[in-house]
Amino acid sequence: MLRTMKLIRRFEERSAEHYGRGNIGGFLHLYIGEEAVAVGVISPLRDDDKIVTHYRDHGHALARGMDTAACMAELFGKSTGVSGGKGGSMHFFDVEKGFMGGHAIVGGQLPLAVGLAFANRYRGEDSLVVCFLGDGAVNEGEFHESMNLASLWKLPVLFLLENNGFGMGTRVERASAQPIIHRLADRHNVRSHREENGQDVFAVRQATLDAIEYIRDGNGPYFLEVMTYRFRGHSMADPIEYRQQHEVEPWLDLDPIKLLSDRLLENNLTTEDEVGAIDEDVENEVNEAIQFALDSPFPTPDELYTDIYA
């Protein structure tokens, strides 16, 4: 888990660097600060479980084990990317990994998750679907429609809310009449829980295991709200003028990677040398991914006419 979290962090840092260099176009939403959520939630999943998520999707993809080089190539818009260079940052996809896409429409992934969960039930499978969403999505109509159907049909879906305190630049308290968001599940008769310590990967993992057990026992959907914080802005285009440094600093002290590393060292479960070896290994992997992306070709013009409906 420590290595995966460090991989996500370094991947994101270098992505920001190459966005500044002009090698990455479009939008780029970084996951820095939220790594414990992706790793804590995805690590206990089975291979046949599926994931559908929002546009801040790099961390989820890497936590699921998608190829680092192919993910970086997608950011660079190259044909060797996970979506052929045509999806970019917000649209990672890997069917073999059960990663059913990052989606740019706020709340748009929710009905897709319900459909995937319905398909699982229809085929008689006991796999489940994890649907990541941000706090901004709960004010969309799809949120209530999806929760209602999932509850009505007792579908195997885990709605995983990453509450990082802001929908773009708007605080949750200014956008939601119910700031304790997981309580919104009550109206749809969906069991819910808020994990306050979203920077602790073990706490997130245990909360996820509890939710998974509930779902696999045939009880229907579960809504898990995890409190976390993004250290960077909403996207690379965000000047972050809506929050002050004194607000950010306490969260920096709760850096999930540092918390996990310190815990492992204090309990003699690893050594400084082993942590250093992980850092070096991750650095090499990301450097190789960047070189792969730089060396890969752009999609050819005829790709304009593939993967479309008509």
Side-chain angles (χ1 to χ4, degrees):
M1 290 194 294
L2 179 62
R3 188 192 185 282
T4 303
M5 289 166 67
K6 283 178 172 285
L7 174 62
I8 294 169
R9 177 69 60 87
R10 197 66 186 124
F11 182 96
E12 298 278 78
E13 290 171 342
R14 296 301 302 281
S15 297
E17 173 190 328
H18 281 273
Y19 188 89
R21 292 185 180 186
N23 290 326
I24 298 173
F27 289 99
L28 185 70
H29 303 84
L30 301 179
Y31 199 69
I32 293 173
E34 302 182 36
E35 294 90 351
V37 183
V39 175
V41 171
I42 294 174
S43 60
L45 298 181
R46 298 189 328 213
D47 290 344
D48 59 339
D49 294 328
K50 293 181 176 62
I51 297 169
V52 61
T53 186
H54 46 66
Y55 46 73
R56 199 181 305 278
D57 59 353
H58 313 154
H60 305 138
L62 295 174
R64 188 55 165 170
M66 287 173 59
D67 183 73
T68 306
C71 288
M72 187 65 76
E74 187 61 38
L75 293 183
F76 279 57
K78 299 301 183 71
S79 62
T80 53
V82 292
S83 297
K86 298 195 293 183
S89 170
M90 298 189 283
H91 300 287
F92 282 12
F93 211 98
D94 190 332
V95 177
E96 291 184 2
K97 294 287 186 181
F99 195 86
M100 311 308 286
H103 297 270
I105 302 299
V106 175
Q109 73 274 26
L110 287 151
L112 297 177
V114 172
L116 289 165
F118 179 82
N120 288 352
R121 176 62 54 79
Y122 189 81
R123 290 191 294 256
E125 301 170 355
D126 68 341
S127 56
L128 58 84
V129 178
V130 175
C131 178
F132 287 94
L133 63 147
D135 44 87
V138 302
N139 296 315
E140 297 288 339
E142 295 100 325
F143 172 78
H144 298 284
E145 294 164 349
S146 300
M147 293 278 285
N148 182 63
L149 278 181
S151 180
L152 191 64
W153 295 338
K154 291 191 178 300
L155 297 179
V157 54
L158 170 58
F159 296 101
L160 198 292
L161 171 65
E162 297 176 309
N163 189 341
N164 59 30
F166 296 91
M168 295 188 71
T170 303
R171 296 180 187 275
V172 171
E173 295 78 9
R174 294 187 61 196
S176 177
Q178 173 51 280
I180 305 177
I181 296 178
H182 78 96
R183 291 181 179 169
L184 294 173
D186 294 346
R187 65 192 297 181
H188 300 295
N189 199 27
V190 173
R191 177 172 291 191
S192 69
H193 172 70
R194 171 185 271 192
E195 175 50 58
E196 297 285 356
N197 199 358
Q199 305 305 87
D200 181 346
V201 69
F202 292 114
V204 176
R205 180 181 167 89
Q206 186 57 57
T208 303
L209 286 168
D210 293 341
I212 287 174
E213 181 180 8
Y214 176 86
I215 294 169
R216 293 207 201 279
D217 284 344
N219 296 306
Y222 194 104
F223 185 64
L224 178 58
E225 178 182 11
V226 180
M227 307 304 291
T228 184
Y229 200 80
R230 52 176 162 84
F231 293 173
R232 302 289 185 95
H234 172 70
S235 72
M236 288 295 292
D238 181 5
I240 332 179
E241 296 177 347
Y242 47 84
R243 66 188 191 193
Q244 303 298 318
Q245 187 61 29
H246 67 80
E247 173 191 337
V248 180
E249 288 173 355
W251 283 99
L252 294 177
D253 292 336
L254 296 174
D255 186 316
I257 296 176
K258 185 178 186 303
L259 289 178
L260 177 57
S261 181
D262 289 348
R263 187 169 178 180
L264 295 174
L265 290 167
E266 290 167 3
N267 288 277
N268 298 316
L269 295 171
T270 190
T271 65
E272 293 282 3
D273 288 344
E274 289 173 336
V275 172
I278 289 175
D279 288 334
E280 183 177 353
D281 187 42
V282 163
E283 188 69 27
N284 290 336
E285 181 173 338
V286 174
N287 283 336
E288 290 172 4
I290 291 170
Q291 193 60 52
F292 175 78
L294 289 169
D295 293 343
S296 294
F298 287 103
T300 56
D302 62 317
E303 284 296 315
L304 285 168
Y305 305 100
T306 62
D307 306 316
I308 57 177
Y309 288 109

